[in-house]
Amino acid sequence: MKKFISTVKNIFSIEDLRVRILNTIGFLIIFRLGSFIVLPGVDPSKLGGAPEGIFGLIDTFLGGAFSNASIFGLGIMPYISASIVLQLLTVGVPYFQKMQKEGESGRKRINQITRVLTIAITVAQGIGYVTATILPTGAVMVSTSLFMFSSLVLLSAGTMFCMWLGEKITEKGIGNGISMLIMIGIISRFPGALIAEGLEKGSSGMLLLIIEAVVLFFVVVGVIALTEATRRIPVQYAKQVVGGKVYGGQRQYIPIKVNASGVMPIIFAQSLMFVPALIAQIWAGESDIANYIGTTFSDFTSWQYNLLFAVLIIVFTFFYTAITVNPEQIAEDMKRNGGFVPGIKPGAPTSDFIDGIISKITLPGSVLLAAVAILPALAIIAGVGGEFAQFYGGTSLLIMVGVIMDTLRQIESYLLMRHYEGMMKSGNVKNNPSNYQVA
């Protein structure tokens, strides 16, 4: 505890870091306040409760703004969708591949295209949001056409403002602006979920609540291990003589993450898990098979649902890793910089060697990711409340762990630059990518 208090004092003794932390807190407060500003023309008392399914997942990311019919009702989700689309286009479309290789000018053009696409996606999602979640509740007190127009304008403005907040957190805060907004939305639900779980268990169930908290602690530790686990590939750099000085001759490492795809496979799989139940509704009442499928895949605690969910996550993990990690590009960069893997010839053999390692570590990584994704369902089966069980795994826990670890690295770098002892006992956050030189 004494070391922790000393570290906090060191953090706030660095003016630049102190200002950035305070700026981040201020921007996050603005974001949370905007989540409670209801769209004009809506009677909040007539709105339904927390949605379920994919809408419930979005509402969790936005800290309740979705179910509150807030001006931040779509938050930065359209921007994330646009970023994913552009990321996939840079992999499969030569025009965007060329643009990505143009350096800073290319990145600026991609960012401009992303912003324009964000507005288009916001309008499309806004129409679905209003017609599917707000109008059916009967909470709208003005004409439908006027409400639709004003809501689309305000939702688009709210999304762009959230983008601006994220950029400001990255620029003037402690970084990871967009991810920070998602994380604060998820964390904002935790106190309410914990209180609800305590009230549900009552005084006679305090022992169960303590056990649940202990299990949650070990789950978080396991997710941190999965998030930070890397396979280091040794790279030897040849010695070069420049101006009478010898450079290179050092051994560095390329860290390849066991879970290189992050939370994207879970998001992709989650979006497809509604298809079986949706198709079954078309033939509902006409076929026993359709009724069985509809009932089974509407219950996310059923073993059939979780088996299909896990398989989809494993498939998408391999797919997303394949399009985001390019062994040929890594091998080419190593060769250009005079680096090589000891015992492996440069060029195609190095690319094949790296590809083999990625394939080997992706399998256990995908299985562990699938296990984390179905943990909330297992927790509910074990008797944990539905709201509190969402923090036992899935996208929410992975995002929280990832963002918190990145934030710790940012703070760590400031402390070490000022010759203070770091956040960890060793003075160095384990698996910090800045510790390695990536060829």
Side-chain angles (χ1 to χ4, degrees), residues 29 70 118 133 199 203 240 266 282 324 355 369 411 423 439:
I29 290 175
S70 161
T118 298
T133 63
L199 293 176
S203 57
Q240 298 178 357
I266 298 180
I282 301 176
T324 54
D355 184 64
L369 186 64
I411 297 175
M423 297 287 289

Side-chain angles (χ1 to χ4, degrees), residues 159-229:
T159 295
M160 301 308 292
F161 184 73
C162 289
M163 284 176 54
W164 179 84
L165 282 177
E167 291 174 353
K168 287 301 178 184
I169 292 175
T170 302
E171 177 186 349
K172 298 183 179 298
I174 52 179
N176 300 312
I178 300 299
S179 300
M180 191 74 71
L181 295 180
I182 298 177
M183 184 199 70
I184 199 65
I186 296 172
I187 288 181
S188 66
R189 308 295 292 270
F190 182 76
L194 182 59
I195 292 173
E197 185 71 10
L199 293 176
E200 182 180 346
K201 292 292 187 290
S203 57
S204 60
M206 289 304 298
L207 179 59
L208 288 176
L209 184 62
I210 294 174
I211 294 175
E212 290 176 4
V214 173
V215 173
L216 179 60
F217 170 78
F218 284 105
V219 169
V220 172
V221 172
V223 172
I224 292 175
L226 174 62
T227 303
E228 298 298 300

Side-chain angles (χ1 to χ4, degrees), residues 102-370:
E102 291 177 355
E104 187 64 27
S105 61
R107 283 192 292 270
K108 287 183 178 179
R109 291 170 61 190
I110 291 177
N111 288 336
Q112 291 174 352
I113 296 174
T114 303
R115 285 178 170 82
V116 174
L117 184 59
T118 298
I119 296 176
I121 293 177
T122 303
V123 173
Q125 291 184 353
I127 294 174
Y129 173 52
V130 172
T131 56
T133 63
I134 300 179
L135 292 179
T137 62
V140 179
M141 300 179 293
V142 296
S143 66
T144 302
S145 57
L146 176 61
F147 178 73
M148 179 68 73
F149 175 77
S150 63
S151 296
L152 291 180
V153 172
L154 289 173
L155 288 172
S156 300
T159 295
M160 301 308 292
F161 184 73
C162 289
M163 284 176 54
W164 179 84
L165 282 177
E167 291 174 353
K168 287 301 178 184
I169 292 175
T170 302
E171 177 186 349
K172 298 183 179 298
I174 52 179
N176 300 312
I178 300 299
S179 300
M180 191 74 71
L181 295 180
I182 298 177
M183 184 199 70
I184 199 65
I186 296 172
I187 288 181
S188 66
R189 308 295 292 270
F190 182 76
L194 182 59
I195 292 173
E197 185 71 10
L199 293 176
E200 182 180 346
K201 292 292 187 290
S203 57
S204 60
M206 289 304 298
L207 179 59
L208 288 176
L209 184 62
I210 294 174
I211 294 175
E212 290 176 4
V214 173
V215 173
L216 179 60
F217 170 78
F218 284 105
V219 169
V220 172
V221 172
V223 172
I224 292 175
L226 174 62
T227 303
E228 298 298 300
T230 58
R231 166 68 158 85
R232 300 196 306 172
I233 301 176
V235 179
Q236 185 72 35
Y237 286 90
K239 294 183 179 180
Q240 298 178 357
V241 180
V242 180
K245 294 184 178 180
V246 179
Y247 295 91
Q250 300 178 357
R251 172 168 289 193
Q252 304 291 343
Y253 296 92
I254 301 176
I256 304 295
K257 280 185 170 292
V258 173
N259 180 28
S261 56
V263 300
M264 296 310 301
I266 298 180
I267 294 176
F268 287 155
Q270 187 75 61
S271 63
L272 290 181
M273 287 307 299
F274 298 95
V275 174
L278 187 62
I279 295 177
Q281 287 180 359
I282 301 176
W283 291 280
E286 301 179 4
S287 170
D288 292 337
I289 297 178
N291 293 336
Y292 173 78
I293 293 175
T295 303
T296 301
F297 288 94
S298 296
D299 179 15
F300 74 96
T301 61
S302 66
W303 69 266
Q304 297 94 334
Y305 180 100
N306 286 281
L307 178 61
L308 179 59
F309 190 31
V311 171
L312 287 175
I313 289 173
I314 293 173
V315 171
F316 280 124
T317 300
F318 277 93
F319 169 75
Y320 200 79
T321 302
I323 66 175
T324 54
V325 182
N326 189 347
E328 295 181 358
Q329 185 65 42
I330 296 175
E332 182 181 340
D333 292 341
M334 286 171 51
K335 186 177 180 180
R336 187 186 308 115
N337 294 323
F340 61 93
V341 178
I344 306 296
K345 294 182 179 180
T350 299
S351 175
D352 295 338
F353 175 75
I354 296 175
D355 184 64
I357 289 179
I358 293 174
S359 299
K360 291 176 182 178
I361 65 176
T362 299
L363 178 58
S366 63
V367 172
L368 291 173
L369 186 64

Side-chain angles (χ1 to χ4, degrees), residues 183 220 223-225 227-228 396-406:
M183 184 199 70
V220 172
V223 172
I224 292 175
T227 303
E228 298 298 300
S396 303
L397 185 57
L398 286 167
I399 290 177
M400 286 193 298
V401 168
V403 176
I404 290 174
M405 294 303 296
D406 286 341

